[in-house]
Structure formats: structure tokens, C-alpha cells
Amino acid sequence: MVVLFSSLSEYFFTSETFVTIANEIPAIAVMAVRYDLCVDHRRHRSFGGSVMALSAAVAGIAMVQWHWPIYLAVLVAMVVGAFAGLLNGAIR
């Protein structure tokens, strides 16, 4: 893919692009491990990715728009995720 995108754009094969890609890897790894644990314990639920996206959106809004500190934004995101899981468990 690096060869393909580098041939299509002169701006792709730069150190800035690789730093950006490297900065995205930890977030993707955390989500992949979380999802893998659900699948590994045979409790795979289709709402897992949606709850992660909702929690991430809440944390992002809290930090960027409401200017909350990161620890408070993460705490609120965890509460929102727990509530969404509780609600889904009650519905099923």
C-alpha cells in the first residue's frame, strides 16, 4: 500500500505521514484488543463497536468542545459506555 499511495501522490511518502500513521496505531490497537476479548470469551455482541464509538465521541466532545480535563472526559465516557451496555443487557 505504501508503494501504491506513494506512486499516486507526491505528498504521501513523507516523515509527517509516517508520524501520523504511527500516532494512530495505539488507539486502533486498544480497540482491537477490547474487541478480541469479547470474541475470545464467546460473548461477541454486535453493539461492542457502537458502544466504543459512542464513548469515544463523548470523550472527544467533552475534551474539545467543553474543555474538560482528560481524566474527567474518560470517566464520563466510561460511564456512558457502562450505561449503554446496561441498557442493551436489559433489552436483550
Side-chain angles (χ1 to χ4, degrees):
M1 290 182 71
V2 172
V3 174
L4 174 67
F5 288 128
S6 297
S7 66
L8 295 175
S9 172
E10 63 185 66
Y11 303 107
F12 183 78
F13 198 74
T14 64
S15 61
E16 183 178 340
T17 301
F18 290 108
V19 168
T20 302
I21 292 171
N23 285 335
E24 295 296 324
I25 290 173
I28 294 170
V30 167
M31 289 188 290
V33 167
R34 184 258 178 238
Y35 207 71
D36 186 49
L37 290 174
C38 287
V39 172
D40 192 37
H41 290 288
R42 294 186 178 100
R43 292 182 296 190
H44 175 71
R45 304 274 188 222
S46 60
F47 74 94
S50 301
V51 171
M52 284 192 300
L54 174 66
S55 298
V58 168
I61 289 170
M63 287 186 292
V64 174
Q65 291 184 354
W66 301 338
H67 306 290
W68 288 9
I70 189 167
Y71 66 89
L72 190 57
V74 169
L75 181 65
V76 169
M78 290 172 64
V79 169
V80 167
F83 180 73
L86 180 69
L87 184 64
N88 188 48
I91 291 172
R92 289 182 183 228

